[in-house]
Amino acid sequence: MTRINAPSATEREVTDSVPHAADGALSHGLKQRHLSMIALGGVIGAGLFVGSGTGIAAAGPGIVLAYAVSGLLVMLVMRMLGEMAAANPASGTFSVHAERAIGPWAGFTAGWMFWIELCVGIAVEAIGAASIMVKWFPSTPSWMWVLLFMAVFCGTNLAAVGNFGEFEFWFAALKVAAIGAFLVIGVLAILGLLPGTSAPGTDNLTGRGGFLPHGTDGLVAGLLASVFAYGGLETVTIAAAESEQPVKGVAKAVRTAMWRIALFYVGSMLVVVTLLPWTDKSVVTDGPYVAVLNYLDIPAAGRIMDVIVLAALLSAMNANIYGASRMSHSLVQRGEGPRFLAKVSGGVPRLTVLASSAFGFLAVLFSYWWPTTVFKWLLYMTGAAVLVVWGFIAATQLMLRRKLEREEPERLVVRMWAFPYLTWVALAGVVATLGLMLREQDTAEQLYATAGLTVVLALTGYLRQRSAAARRG
């Protein structure tokens, strides 16, 4: 029999009213424009601007198909998460839902897995942003920039949730404007309407080995590269719980996910492989966007993209500190972590902001002290974490949907398409992607490390659950 826990006092359902932040409660300082832009810009990460070049080299023009397939999986996951978040907005998002549907051990595992993933992401983004600054200012040390960025975004997250929202609003606006301009310029060039260009036709799509030059092996490599580019979309459902209109905000964000993914990811990849041969070495060395802009003789293309990538990195860093602090706050409020971290002042969980930032900064130090050992394994342990989280989301939605239909159908503001069939398709897609990771040594090692972390967290959560049950008699 499925165990469905009632929401705890610290994770009560949030309505569309805008309550004043009581002492010890999170505020509702995110405006609707903040949430809309977080949802819009949240799909545009640094991995899209830089890392997608590796996927193009592996899959050739087939990268368009790879991004389309992985994008469909992400849309299904977001739809499931949106259904649950709109029905019960909570800062712990899928961790809270997993606890209610499966049990405290599941909420513990999914929540702390996500927290570790975000904290390691903070380190990776800080290091990447610092490397850009060192390129601009060669005489400065990398650690100085890391420390500066950590201090700035830790400080903004400590002050008020509105600061996080305002930073993300402008970061997202810059990213959206950049990708929008790229798509417009690219389409004009494809049509031969840009001065000095001629329409390339389909030569780059079908020549040099065809659409899938490396066959299914290349497509699989491109698929794996594209799946992990979508990580971080879950943050919008965390932010929704602190917005003025949580239900309306998360519903709108989820409903627009399809066109955002199709436009930003699939559309931009199609522009790149149509304009440039996939064998062009600059696609990997400079990044696909810089390579296209250079091909079109856009002045200062490299510097322009450095600014955009820096914004994407800082945006992700800011969002990860926010997401990690809210997830850990939700966990400790539910008794799944050190209770002393649960204190909230001024509507902000400052202790979990500090703890999350400190862990991220410690991971940065690991990258300097033990880059090939400790830091490498931190990266490996979180290599497949996003897939584990998506698996929990799918399993949880399967269990909660029936209960909602039976007891509170009015809360189903967002509904999963073709339930339960597409939920099972999404779950099968997650499992299949995990299986594909076994094909290559590097991704297989990441899978094993993530599996090890998952087992440790699940066992710890289960033992804590048993201990709590024993104390209750």
Side-chain angles (χ1 to χ4, degrees):
M1 181 176 178
T2 302
R3 178 178 180 273
I4 306 291
N5 298 317
S8 67
T10 59
E11 292 292 349
R12 290 190 182 96
E13 290 85 347
V14 181
T15 68
D16 268 349
S17 60
V18 188
H20 185 275
D23 185 35
L26 296 181
S27 71
H28 289 258
L30 289 177
K31 295 179 170 57
Q32 192 59 38
R33 68 180 179 88
H34 291 152
L35 197 64
S36 297
M37 195 57 81
I38 289 169
L40 190 60
V43 298
I44 309 173
L48 174 62
F49 293 112
V50 181
S52 52
T54 305
I56 293 172
I63 192 66
V64 176
L65 180 59
Y67 268 99
V69 171
S70 57
L72 285 172
L73 174 59
V74 172
M75 281 185 244
L76 295 179
V77 172
M78 280 301 294
R79 190 76 183 185
M80 290 184 287
L81 184 55
E83 177 184 287
M84 295 184 291
N88 180 29
S91 61
T93 183
F94 53 83
S95 173
V96 173
H97 309 317
E99 179 173 324
R100 294 182 65 203
I102 305 172
W105 73 268
F108 179 94
T109 305
W112 285 116
M113 170 74 75
F114 188 68
W115 182 80
I116 294 170
E117 176 192 351
L118 293 188
C119 289
V120 174
I122 292 169
V124 172
E125 287 131 15
I127 294 166
S131 68
I132 292 176
M133 298 306 294
V134 169
K135 185 163 67 172
W136 291 349
F137 305 98
S139 60
T140 57
S142 178
W143 64 264
M144 181 188 76
W145 295 109
V146 169
L147 188 60
L148 174 63
F149 294 144
M150 292 294 298
V152 167
F153 291 113
C154 178
T156 56
N157 276 278
L158 283 171
V161 70
N163 289 343
F164 158 74
E166 203 62 32
F167 267 100
E168 281 306 290
F169 179 86
W170 292 108
F171 278 141
L174 177 60
K175 292 187 292 182
V176 170
I179 201 78
F182 176 83
L183 288 169
V184 169
I185 291 171
V187 170
L188 289 175
I190 290 171
L191 297 175
L193 301 177
L194 203 66
T197 63
S198 57
T202 59
D203 289 350
N204 292 324
L205 293 174
T206 57
R208 299 170 184 81
F211 189 72
L212 290 172
H214 296 147
T216 55
D217 287 344
L219 181 61
V220 166
L223 180 64
L224 291 176
S226 63
V227 162
F228 298 109
Y230 290 110
L233 287 174
E234 306 86 354
T235 303
V236 69
T237 60
I238 297 176
E242 291 185 79
S243 68
E244 294 174 329
Q245 296 178 302
V247 174
K248 179 181 177 181
V250 75
K252 182 178 179 181
V254 169
R255 285 170 179 154
T256 58
M258 180 175 294
W259 73 261
R260 286 184 280 120
I261 289 173
L263 179 66
F264 294 145
Y265 279 86
V266 181
S268 60
M269 286 299 100
L270 183 58
V271 166
V272 172
V273 296
T274 302
L275 287 174
L276 286 180
W278 69 269
T279 51
D280 191 322
K281 289 183 170 38
S282 65
V283 170
V284 176
T285 57
D286 299 333
Y289 294 83
V290 174
V292 168
L293 294 177
N294 282 333
Y295 168 74
L296 298 176
D297 290 326
I298 303 297
R303 183 57 60 92
I304 291 170
M305 287 310 303
D306 274 348
V307 172
I308 303 304
V309 171
L310 178 64
L313 287 166
L314 296 180
S315 171
M317 187 177 172
N318 186 36
N320 283 356
I321 292 175
Y322 170 80
S325 67
R326 268 44 176 193
M327 178 59 75
S328 53
H329 171 260
S330 174
L331 286 161
V332 299
Q333 285 281 72
R334 289 179 278 134
E336 302 294 352
R339 291 305 297 265
F340 74 91
L341 294 175
K343 181 177 174 58
V344 174
S345 56
V348 177
R350 293 194 170 100
L351 292 179
T352 56
V353 170
L354 288 171
S356 301
S357 300
F359 190 93
F361 188 68
L362 184 62
V364 172
L365 295 179
F366 288 158
S367 76
Y368 291 124
W369 296 337
W370 304 293
T372 58
T373 52
V374 177
F375 187 65
K376 174 186 174 183
W377 282 104
L378 271 178
L379 293 176
Y380 273 16
M381 282 191 297
T382 57
V386 66
L387 291 169
V388 174
V389 168
W390 291 354
F392 272 111
I393 290 171
T396 299
Q397 193 264 343
L398 275 172
M399 296 182 179
L400 285 185
R401 173 64 176 268
R402 299 294 190 197
K403 177 179 168 59
L404 282 169
E405 287 180 328
R406 185 174 63 253
E407 298 178 4
E408 301 175 290
E410 71 279 2
R411 286 189 174 274
L412 285 169
V413 179
V414 178
R415 289 175 178 265
M416 178 60 180
W417 305 300
F419 177 82
Y421 306 109
L422 287 183
T423 299
W424 281 110
V425 168
L427 193 56
V430 169
V431 173
T433 306
L434 289 169
L436 292 175
M437 292 183 71
L438 293 170
R439 292 167 59 104
E440 299 291 335
Q441 181 178 348
D442 186 57
T443 53
E445 288 178 355
Q446 293 180 42
L447 179 59
Y448 296 144
T450 303
L453 176 62
T454 305
V455 169
V456 168
L457 288 174
L459 183 59
T460 303
Y462 178 73
L463 292 175
R464 288 175 60 88
Q465 180 177 320
R466 288 287 301 271
S467 176
R471 287 196 300 272
R472 291 194 299 268

